Amino acid sequence: EKGVDPGLELTTGKKAVREAYTVMNLVEDYIERHAKRKKRSWKEDERVLNKDVIPRWGRRKAKSITRLDVVNLLDEVRDRAEARGGKGVQANRTLEIIRKMFNFAVGRSILEHSPCLVIERPAKENRRDRVLSEKEIKIFWENINKCRMEAGTRLVLKLQLVTMQRKGELVQIEKADIDLKSRWWTQPKEKVKNNQAHRVWLTDMAMEIIEKAMEISEDSRWLFPGRVEDKFITPQAVDHALRKVQINDTRQNLVDIFKIPRFTPHDLRRTGATHATGAGVSRFIIGKVLNHIDQSVTGRYDLHEYDAEIQQALETWARKLEYILIGEKGKLISLQRK
């Protein structure tokens, strides 16, 4: 009756949005409407986009970005990393973030196509398989207290080896999450990488570490408070602290404390899982301890909590770890008292 084509109006409206939308607008929308709501690592997305995307493309129309633009940007990121002695893996992370952002734009009809289609990872990645041997575990435990790092950071690293939990979830422990009487640490799903609530049994070794952390954290609600008020230690700070004490550089007065092949915090989680399996814990139960999601059909139906099995697995690992750490006189190497 009005002589108007609603389909044409819709198409025209979408076209107008595409014509006006800049990359800066896209970054802002992506961070606010997607990353902050769905990604716990949204700050890393924001950092990467502010560092490498906005300075190059910020004022350009989002629809003008081509596949070649993306490839050239990734080449720059990789070259920059390699010039500093790295392997360029950061370029892969940058591609993942940019691809997610442009997919978001396509999903909201801001763009018709993503310029990231069929772009391969610019840097080769090797699957990490570093597992500390029993001798190396003992070296780590005996020397961690000699490292120049915050006391809370040392305790995070020890607790990661003892509990096999993710570093990002360890640093976010609130004292309210821990029941010292029942000896269970409950991870709310909001703090867990896979959005699946998880319970961790606290062995004697874990309890001693937690009690020490309670003592040094004083009245903070966080078990491992950071330097910024009412903030916890960041996962990146833990990475940096461990990396720094494994560097030999006389110019910077840095000495490798451990003198063993380099390892990361995540390698401590893998180490615990590997040695626990070697001590007789099944891989299935280790998966429950690690809070891996069972993607099988059976896994979707099996809603058993596995608390008893997790407790038994962690106690088995604690006995194995205690055996590894027994000194020459048969006494357990001090956990915290140095």
Side-chain angles (χ1 to χ4, degrees), residues 241-257:
L242 184 57
R243 185 165 55 245
K244 192 171 182 179
V245 298
Q246 296 182 85
I247 295 174
N248 267 320
D249 190 336
T250 54
R251 293 172 298 179
Q252 299 183 53
N253 197 29
L254 297 174
V255 179
D256 182 356
I257 295 293

Side-chain angles (χ1 to χ4, degrees), residues 3 7 15 18 22 29 42 44-45 85 121 190 227 249 271 294 302 309 328 337:
K15 183 177 179 181
R18 289 194 289 270
T22 65
D29 259 12
W42 68 267
E44 176 63 11
D45 289 25
R121 289 183 171 187
E190 296 79 14
R227 294 183 177 180
D249 190 336
T271 294
D294 185 353
D302 181 8
E309 292 85 351
E328 292 180 1
R337 296 187 180 89

Side-chain angles (χ1 to χ4, degrees), residues 4 14 27 42 45 50 58 62 66 77 98-99 117 129 172 177 190 223 237 278 280 296 316 320 329:
V4 175
K14 290 181 178 178
V27 168
W42 68 267
D45 289 25
N50 284 335
T66 65
V77 174
I98 293 175
R99 177 180 283 134
L117 290 174
D129 57 3
Q172 293 188 67
D177 299 336
E190 296 79 14
L223 188 63
S296 69
T316 298
K320 176 67 179 291
K329 297 180 180 180

Side-chain angles (χ1 to χ4, degrees), residues 34-49:
H34 179 83
K36 283 186 178 181
R37 298 179 183 182
K38 298 185 178 182
K39 298 184 69 177
R40 290 185 178 83
S41 59
W42 68 267
K43 288 187 177 179
E44 176 63 11
D45 289 25
E46 185 177 52
R47 184 192 71 80
V48 168
L49 294 170

Side-chain angles (χ1 to χ4, degrees), residues 94-234:
T94 302
L95 172 59
E96 291 169 5
I97 293 169
I98 293 175
R99 177 180 283 134
K100 180 68 71 174
M101 181 180 73
F102 280 112
N103 287 344
F104 164 82
V106 173
R108 294 179 68 87
S109 294
I110 295 167
L111 298 177
E112 293 183 348
H113 306 288
S114 168
C116 296
L117 290 174
V118 304
I119 295 180
E120 298 181 354
R121 289 183 171 187
K124 182 180 179 181
E125 293 193 40
N126 296 320
R127 178 183 173 185
R128 288 196 61 85
D129 57 3
R130 176 78 167 98
V131 173
L132 277 68
S133 66
E134 292 186 11
K135 181 179 179 180
E136 290 174 330
I137 291 172
K138 189 171 182 179
I139 289 172
F140 160 75
W141 201 273
E142 289 178 328
N143 289 280
I144 186 67
N145 285 325
K146 302 174 186 177
C147 295
R148 297 175 60 182
M149 62 174 69
E150 297 288 337
T153 303
R154 295 192 196 102
L155 295 177
V156 169
L157 292 168
K158 286 184 175 182
L159 196 58
Q160 184 161 34
L161 178 63
V162 171
T163 65
M164 297 181 267
Q165 300 307 298
R166 298 181 181 93
K167 170 192 59 193
E169 288 149 16
L170 286 164
V171 296
Q172 293 188 67
I173 297 177
E174 292 188 59
K175 293 172 182 176
D177 299 336
I178 298 173
D179 188 332
L180 294 175
K181 186 175 182 180
S182 70
R183 297 177 60 161
W184 284 98
W185 159 33
T186 302
Q187 300 177 12
K189 66 178 183 179
E190 296 79 14
K191 297 181 181 179
V192 181
K193 181 180 179 181
N194 59 20
N195 203 37
Q196 181 171 285
H198 184 46
R199 281 161 57 83
V200 181
W201 171 253
L202 301 174
T203 62
D204 288 348
M205 298 178 76
M207 286 292 290
E208 189 172 349
I209 294 170
I210 286 171
E211 287 167 3
K212 181 63 176 179
M214 291 271 192
E215 178 185 328
I216 66 175
S217 61
E218 298 179 341
D219 59 352
S220 173
R221 69 187 176 107
W222 303 106
L223 188 63
F224 302 110
R227 294 183 177 180
V228 179
E229 186 177 356
D230 200 31
K231 297 288 185 181
F232 50 82
I233 298 173
T234 66

